[in-house]
């Protein structure tokens, strides 16, 4: 969808900003460009919508050499989100969002209807926020308007330059997550620039790690963290990359243990006998549809006597994650609820439990899968097991 072929940019003052860039971003893919300030990320991005022209090499969008296209028409196919947001201060949020559709000739009513839809999509009620002015919004809300505006004309390509840079870490993480779920629906081809390695890892299907004016590694976050291609990348992603992998490795069915089970409507004494027989000190409790209810201890079941059912003694289980959640989420649930394990659900169905040992195993599996060429002792995950 976006293809760089040996692209270089030397500014008129002789500064070589990027040198011989070649990479490809597939349709519907989100690629993060990450690296320290001044390494050429913004230059790379602005060459895609021709706000900057390359010195040599060529860039193709959807198979077309963009040098041969009318820049204005090109930009209509490319949404652009920047850190400073760049909203018009004297226009309402709704009119700001409708800017591009209006520019490309949509009727006013249609453009505004579309803008309202987009505001809704980014979590801003158009009835509440549509008539406000940018100065009447928080930083996070302004960023959302920036995203809504970039999406308004439904461009297939989205360029985002440090889009969440101007907000505090808590809001940033919320905006990142919101954007990811939005992206799961709209499936744009996205280039996202950041200097924040955590953001690059969390957001990218793949990531390009920049050294000075060059890409040092272009791969999935898991591969970059698991097998940094160069000492520079290893240093850039940090010594705690084993921990970072928790964010990009997901909980799979194969990682789960099947604990002893009891059903809500079982007679307590019967369940107790069965669990004692199996040597189980506790059981996960499911309702009659196989959904997670909680857990119960064998001892309490044994002491309860005949009329009681499992339902009378079971406790709710708060620590759970869906299949496919990042290991990090499972780990943080364990810590938050001080639980020795966390339940894993497939839809509403109980799929099994993840224990710390299994979590460690899953992490090791993912490291092994990616770490060809990297010595085992270079891969740090022990800190996770000890935690
Ligand atoms: N208009 C310009 N004229 C000269 N040098 C520039 C210009 N814009 C950027 N640069 C230089 O090009 C290099 C890359 O800049 P940039 O692409 O903005 O990096 P990043 O976005 O990674 O921080 C830097 O050394 C920067 O100073
Ligand atoms: Mg920049």
């Amino acid at each position: 969808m976006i293809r760089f072929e040996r692209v270089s940019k030397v500014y008129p003052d002789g500064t070589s900003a990027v040198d011989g860039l070649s990479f490809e971003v597939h349709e519907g893919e989100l690629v993060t460009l990450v690296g320290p300030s001044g390494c050429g990320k913004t230059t790379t991005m602005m060459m895609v919508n021709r706000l900057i022209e390359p010195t040599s090499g060529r860039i193709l969008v959807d198979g077309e050499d963009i040098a041969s296209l009318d820049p204005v028409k090109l930009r209509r196919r490319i949404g652009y989100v920047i850190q400073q947001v760049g909203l018009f201060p004297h226009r309402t949020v709704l009119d700001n969002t409708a800017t591009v559709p209006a520019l490309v000739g949509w009727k006013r009513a249609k453009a505004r209807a579309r803008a309202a839809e987009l505001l809704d999509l980014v979590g801003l009620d158009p009835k509440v926020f549509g008539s406000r002015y940018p100065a009447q919004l928080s930083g996070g809300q302004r960023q959302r308007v920036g995203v809504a505006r970039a999406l308004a004309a439904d461009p297939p390509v989205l360029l985002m330059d440090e889009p969440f840079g101007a907000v505090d870490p808590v809001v940033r993480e919320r905006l990142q997550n919101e954007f990811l779920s939005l992206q799961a629906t709209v499936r744009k081809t996205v280039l996202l620039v950041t200097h924040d390695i955590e953001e690059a890892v969390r957001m990218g299907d793949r990531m390009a790690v920049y050294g000075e004016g060059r890409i040092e590694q272009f791969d999935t976050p898991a591969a970059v963290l698991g097998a940094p291609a160069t000492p520079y990348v290893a240093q850039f992603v940090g010594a705690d990359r084993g921990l970072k992998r928790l964010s990009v490795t997901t909980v799979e069915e194969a990682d789960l243990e099947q604990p002893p089970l009891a059903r809500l409507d079982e007679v307590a004494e019967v369940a107790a006998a069965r669990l004692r027989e199996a040597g189980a000190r506790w059981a996960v409790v499911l309702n009659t549809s196989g959904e997670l209810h909680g857990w119960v201890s064998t001892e309490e079941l044994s002491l309860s006597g005949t009329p009681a059912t499992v339902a009378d003694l079971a406790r709710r289980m708060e620590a759970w994650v869906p299949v496919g959640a990042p290991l990090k989420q499972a780990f943080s649930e364990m810590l938050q609820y001080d639980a020795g394990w966390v339940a894993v659900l497939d839809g509403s169905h109980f799929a099994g439990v993840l224990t710390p040992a299994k979590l460690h195993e899953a992490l090791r599996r993912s490291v092994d899968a990616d770490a060809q060429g990297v010595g085992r002792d270079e891969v740090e995950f022990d800190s996770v097991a000890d935690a």
Side-chain angles (χ1 to χ4, degrees):
M1 185 71 180
I2 304 174
R3 191 178 157 88
F4 275 67
E5 292 179 353
R6 293 185 308 281
V7 174
S8 300
K9 174 67 188 180
V10 181
Y11 283 106
D13 68 355
T15 306
S16 167
V18 297
D19 185 21
L21 285 184
S22 294
F23 65 91
E24 189 163 0
V25 184
H26 304 137
E27 189 171 347
E29 188 181 33
L30 194 165
V31 168
T32 53
L33 310 181
V34 64
S37 176
C39 67
K41 306 180 297 293
T42 295
T43 301
T44 303
M45 179 149 286
M46 290 172 84
M47 288 190 293
V48 178
N49 57 11
R50 293 189 58 188
L51 291 173
I52 295 176
E53 299 289 348
T55 313
S56 64
R58 51 176 211 157
I59 301 169
L60 309 178
V61 170
D62 215 1
E64 286 180 296
D65 184 342
I66 61 170
S68 67
L69 301 177
D70 172 8
V72 176
K73 285 196 183 130
L74 172 70
R75 281 174 211 142
R76 287 180 191 158
R77 288 155 55 190
I78 302 178
Y80 190 35
V81 185
I82 52 175
Q83 179 175 330
Q84 304 78 357
V85 192
L87 300 177
F88 301 112
H90 54 283
R91 284 200 201 159
T92 64
V93 163
L94 194 71
D95 284 338
N96 263 291
T97 310
T99 305
V100 184
L103 271 180
V104 300
W106 293 26
K107 290 239 159 56
R108 189 175 155 89
K110 187 183 165 201
R112 297 185 121 221
R114 172 69 180 162
E117 200 180 296
L118 261 304
L119 287 173
D120 210 31
L121 198 65
V122 298
L124 295 174
D125 183 348
K127 287 197 210 67
V128 178
F129 295 99
S131 56
R132 289 204 195 166
Y133 289 89
Q136 299 168 311
L137 301 178
S138 72
Q141 288 163 344
R142 272 199 290 274
Q143 286 293 344
R144 289 192 180 101
V145 177
V147 171
R149 184 177 59 175
L151 288 171
D154 204 19
V157 174
L158 207 52
L159 305 177
M160 308 178 82
D161 197 345
E162 310 259 3
F164 313 120
V167 292
D168 66 74
V170 176
V171 175
R172 185 184 314 163
E173 189 163 343
R174 191 155 71 225
L175 289 175
Q176 288 169 347
N177 289 335
E178 279 172 14
F179 184 76
L180 284 177
S181 54
L182 187 63
Q183 167 65 357
T185 342
V186 298
R187 285 259 153 241
K188 301 295 176 189
T189 304
V190 186
L191 266 183
L192 187 151
V193 161
T194 177
H195 61 269
D196 175 6
I197 179 72
E198 304 280 353
E199 179 163 287
V201 163
R202 186 177 304 141
M203 304 289 289
D205 297 315
R206 291 190 295 162
M207 57 197 280
V209 184
Y210 274 65
E212 229 163 79
R214 302 189 316 124
I215 293 178
E216 298 267 336
Q217 188 168 12
F218 189 92
D219 213 328
T220 61
V224 170
L225 295 176
T230 64
Y232 169 86
V233 175
Q235 202 225 338
F236 185 72
V237 301
D240 61 343
R241 63 180 191 269
L243 274 172
K244 289 195 183 85
R245 288 181 69 86
L246 282 171
S247 312
V248 294
T249 309
T250 53
V251 177
E252 304 297 336
E253 298 249 9
D255 301 324
L256 306 183
E257 279 183 30
Q258 295 305 324
L261 297 175
R263 278 201 358 199
L264 263 185
D265 57 352
E266 258 186 296
V267 174
E269 256 186 355
V270 175
R274 190 165 53 74
L275 292 171
R276 278 198 306 272
E277 179 89 349
R281 286 174 24 241
W282 53 272
V284 167
V285 177
L286 305 183
N287 69 18
T288 47
S289 319
E291 289 161 358
L292 177 70
H293 176 86
W295 65 281
V296 70
S297 89
T298 307
E299 190 183 351
E300 280 174 358
L301 279 178
S302 304
L303 294 173
S304 66
T306 312
T309 64
V310 170
D312 299 322
L313 296 145
R315 297 177 210 192
R316 297 298 295 204
M317 181 72 216
E318 309 291 351
W320 65 270
V321 296
V323 172
L327 292 179
K328 185 177 173 190
Q329 190 183 338
F331 189 44
S332 94
E333 289 284 309
M334 280 183 201
L335 293 178
Q336 183 180 346
Y337 294 102
D338 197 17
W341 46 269
V342 51
V344 179
L345 305 189
D346 184 3
S348 63
H349 231 80
F350 175 74
V353 298
L354 189 71
T355 60
K358 285 289 183 184
L359 190 146
H360 184 211
E361 225 172 78
L363 198 59
R364 179 182 292 258
R365 164 174 55 71
S366 88
V367 171
D368 283 349
D370 284 321
Q372 300 105 346
V374 175
R376 280 196 78 97
D377 50 358
E378 286 182 56
V379 179
E380 292 153 35
F381 44 67
D382 291 344
S383 51
V384 176
D386 296 341

